[in-house]
Amino acid sequence: MADMKKLYIKTYGCQMNVYDSERMVEALGGQGYEEVDTPDQADMILLNTCHIREKAAEKVYSELGRFKTLKAENPDLKIGVAGCVAQAEGQEIIRRQPLVDLVVGPQSYHRLAEMEEIIRKGKRALDTDFPEEDKFEKLKARPKAKRGPTAFLTVQEGCDKFCAFCVVPYTRGAEVSRPVSQVLTEARDLVERGVREITLLGQNVNAYHGEGDGGAWSLAQLIWALNDVDGLERIRFTTSHPNDMTDDLIAAHGECEKLMPYLHLPVQSGSDKILKRMNRSHTAESYLRLIERFREARPDILISGDFIVGFPEETEADFNDTMSLIEEVKYGQAYSFKYSTRPGTPAAERALVDDQEATERLYRLQALIAQQQKDIQDAMVGQNVKVLFEKPGREPGQMVGKSAHLHAVHVTADGIELGDIKEIRIVESRRNSLAGTVI
Ligand code: 5AD
Ligand code: SF4
């Protein structure tokens, strides 16, 4: 529509930020904005930032600096910073970067419409509170626009674990679960709009304890309720913490038809000494035992994880414990990072491991994971798998989808529509994907 104002939103970081950006687009839709793909013609630019990687705030400041010419050309252009850097830096962003009109933390997105009105009057607006009211309830604008076949749905937010390296408890705040009825309503609405697979999101998603019939529901209870939603075909969830794992969630992987055979369970380290210093409150052994129980419930489950190498005081022996744990688990996929300091976290005070040493360990770990990933992918060749098609591929006539195990699968064939679930014979294992043919 020609008279709509244009919103350019750039999303960094995790899937929860992707979800949040969608909610912000909806909230600003009510203020007459439509989303555009480039900042050039925008009336508002929003950076939805992530604070988890190194020098996150510095990167945001340099990104903001690049909008200077755009703002010079269009004095009505409004620039906002959202997400975890907004939460962590708050007032500092307003002080340091005069280009910025608006700073909004993750717990205040439901106030975005009001804040937009303030900045349109030429004032600046900052909100990084942790308010009492339910932002999800206030955010549910629910436009009926059609959606792609997969969607994220935030069910739990925040973290009370305080791992010694992590900023999340400070930027996302304390753990909160959304009520069951709210989640189910949003899920049904997504399905009506064409969604066939929902990934439930939370920083500690398996700590979910939302209000439902008869009291707080576990994540497994929620998944079972979603299993009954007609038209929804696949359920996933991420990210879990080993200490919040419940028997009913493990069992659901063996029994719940729509729950996919995939588990992202970060361990961070395989050394009990380092785990203790990370304040993880689980051991390598307790983690391995959990994985074993998941495999008893669902033998083909694909395991994914997160690792930090070079955490303060990590010795070669500690690192080798991590490598042994990886050997034992056999990961289908994993994210690994070299430890880096986050100001304000407990580990920030501690002496760093030699950087070259840490880099070298990271390479060794990534090589091992890559080999395991390849072995698991290669074993898929010759198998028939069900693929949910999500988008067109790069080659003409090619479609890309995901298997139940979350492998990307490329297929070139006529008659495949977005949102189709088809039985595919895997014929080739590539670097980060599989190729198949329709059976
Ligand atoms: N340094 C390196 N990696 C980190 N992560 C979180 N904080 C840090 C840090 N300070 C990693 C953890 C977490 C993932 C999302 O990011 O592995 O699980
Ligand atoms: Fe961060 Fe640990 Fe909480 Fe995960 S569990 S969000 S790593 S503090």
Side-chain angles (χ1 to χ4, degrees):
M1 275 173 280
D3 54 351
M4 298 274 289
K5 286 177 280 186
K6 299 204 172 356
L7 167 69
Y8 173 71
I9 183 160
K10 185 163 175 182
T11 308
Y12 299 83
C14 65
Q15 295 152 330
M16 195 173 282
N17 266 10
V18 175
Y19 177 88
D20 286 344
S21 287
E22 288 168 3
R23 301 290 81 69
M24 287 192 270
V25 169
E26 288 176 3
L28 289 170
Q31 300 295 108
Y33 285 85
E34 65 178 352
E35 198 183 359
V36 292
D37 304 335
T38 61
D40 308 341
Q41 304 296 319
D43 300 287
M44 177 161 355
I45 295 174
L46 263 184
L47 298 183
N48 189 7
T49 61
C50 168
H51 201 252
I52 212 150
R53 300 271 82 88
E54 200 171 4
K55 300 202 176 74
E58 287 316 308
K59 285 176 192 157
V60 171
Y61 286 117
S62 76
E63 178 84 30
L64 287 168
R66 278 188 237 139
F67 297 137
K68 198 167 178 173
T69 28
L70 284 178
K71 193 134 176 170
E73 285 162 14
N74 173 13
D76 287 338
L77 169 64
K78 300 296 176 195
I79 295 177
V81 183
C84 292
V85 174
Q87 186 64 44
E89 294 274 300
Q91 197 70 51
E92 178 68 11
I93 300 178
I94 296 275
R95 198 184 61 76
R96 244 181 87 173
Q97 185 43 278
L99 290 176
V100 170
D101 301 285
L102 174 146
V103 174
V104 59
Q107 300 312 326
S108 305
Y109 293 156
H110 56 297
R111 295 184 179 160
L112 202 54
E114 285 164 49
M115 295 174 80
E116 194 271 343
E117 281 166 25
I118 294 171
I119 63 175
R120 279 291 150 211
K121 292 183 189 131
K123 295 191 202 130
R124 302 172 91 190
L126 165 79
D127 194 337
T128 50
D129 291 347
F130 287 103
E132 289 292 315
E133 72 255 25
D134 181 347
K135 74 167 174 182
F136 293 106
E137 190 57 42
K138 297 227 151 107
L139 269 175
K140 64 174 189 207
R142 311 229 277 125
K144 292 290 175 199
K146 190 131 173 61
R147 302 255 331 204
T150 62
F152 297 126
L153 201 176
T154 295
V155 301
Q156 179 277 339
E157 199 178 354
C159 181
D160 300 332
K161 297 281 188 299
F162 292 93
C163 298
F165 49 80
C166 185
V167 287
V168 167
Y170 312 97
T171 59
R172 288 277 167 172
E175 208 176 296
V176 189
S177 295
R178 294 176 68 186
V180 170
S181 61
Q182 225 185 65
V183 173
L184 293 179
T185 304
E186 190 167 323
R188 288 193 198 100
D189 179 62
L190 288 168
V191 170
E192 267 173 45
R193 291 157 62 190
V195 169
R196 305 195 76 191
E197 171 180 304
I198 291 180
T199 302
L200 305 175
L201 298 181
Q203 270 92 24
N204 271 287
V205 73
N206 59 335
Y208 179 82
H209 57 277
E211 233 1 81
D213 282 348
W217 282 28
S218 67
L219 182 67
Q221 284 175 288
L222 183 67
I223 288 170
W224 276 109
L226 287 165
N227 198 55
D228 289 337
V229 173
D230 284 338
L232 181 62
E233 303 295 337
R234 291 177 162 193
I235 304 164
R236 304 181 186 277
F237 62 90
T238 196
T239 293
S240 299
H241 191 288
N243 290 3
D244 292 316
M245 213 42 97
T246 53
D247 294 345
D248 59 350
L249 188 59
I250 298 173
H253 283 79
E255 296 160 3
C256 185
E257 185 204 345
K258 295 180 184 173
L259 182 58
M260 292 293 102
Y262 184 98
L263 177 71
H264 181 65
L265 193 61
V267 64
Q268 313 297 358
S269 169
S271 150
D272 288 345
K273 178 192 97 185
I274 294 298
L275 287 169
K276 202 168 192 138
R277 289 179 193 186
M278 286 177 163
N279 192 32
R280 288 288 293 180
S281 50
H282 61 79
T283 61
E285 189 51 43
S286 67
Y287 177 87
L288 288 170
R289 176 75 197 113
L290 272 178
I291 300 294
E292 206 175 282
R293 291 182 61 205
F294 271 96
R295 287 197 164 129
E296 279 159 18
R298 180 78 202 228
D300 69 332
I301 195 165
L302 189 142
I303 305 295
S304 154
D306 289 354
F307 297 89
I308 296 179
V309 304
F311 189 76
E313 294 170 87
E314 183 189 76
T315 61
E316 186 64 20
D318 295 318
F319 175 69
N320 285 331
D321 288 345
T322 304
M323 294 293 270
S324 306
L325 178 136
I326 296 171
E327 295 276 12
E328 199 157 334
V329 172
K330 300 202 175 10
Y331 286 89
Q333 196 269 340
Y335 303 94
S336 50
F337 312 95
K338 189 163 73 172
Y339 170 74
S340 73
T341 303
R342 301 290 172 274
T345 58
E349 310 298 318
R350 304 181 198 162
L352 292 171
V353 168
D354 176 71
D355 189 58
Q356 220 178 326
E357 188 85 358
T359 304
E360 193 255 337
R361 286 178 195 164
L362 184 65
Y363 289 156
R364 273 157 67 198
L365 183 146
Q366 288 179 340
L368 178 58
I369 300 272
Q371 187 57 50
Q372 295 188 340
Q373 181 176 338
K374 182 174 183 317
D375 291 344
I376 289 174
Q377 270 191 208
D378 290 353
M380 303 304 294
V381 175
Q383 291 195 35
N384 296 346
V385 301
K386 285 209 168 82
V387 175
L388 168 58
F389 287 94
E390 293 177 10
K391 58 181 187 206
R394 277 199 217 119
E395 291 160 25
Q398 190 186 51
M399 295 287 279
V400 191
K402 296 276 167 58
S403 72
H405 297 98
L406 211 55
H407 285 126
V409 181
H410 295 255
V411 180
T412 303
D414 292 334
I416 302 178
E417 305 283 334
L418 289 184
D420 282 355
I421 296 178
K422 286 201 187 298
E423 185 106 346
I424 299 296
R425 162 79 44 90
I426 301 301
V427 295
E428 193 189 335
S429 167
R430 299 173 178 169
R431 203 173 143 75
N432 275 310
S433 66
L434 301 168
T437 54
V438 181
I439 295 168

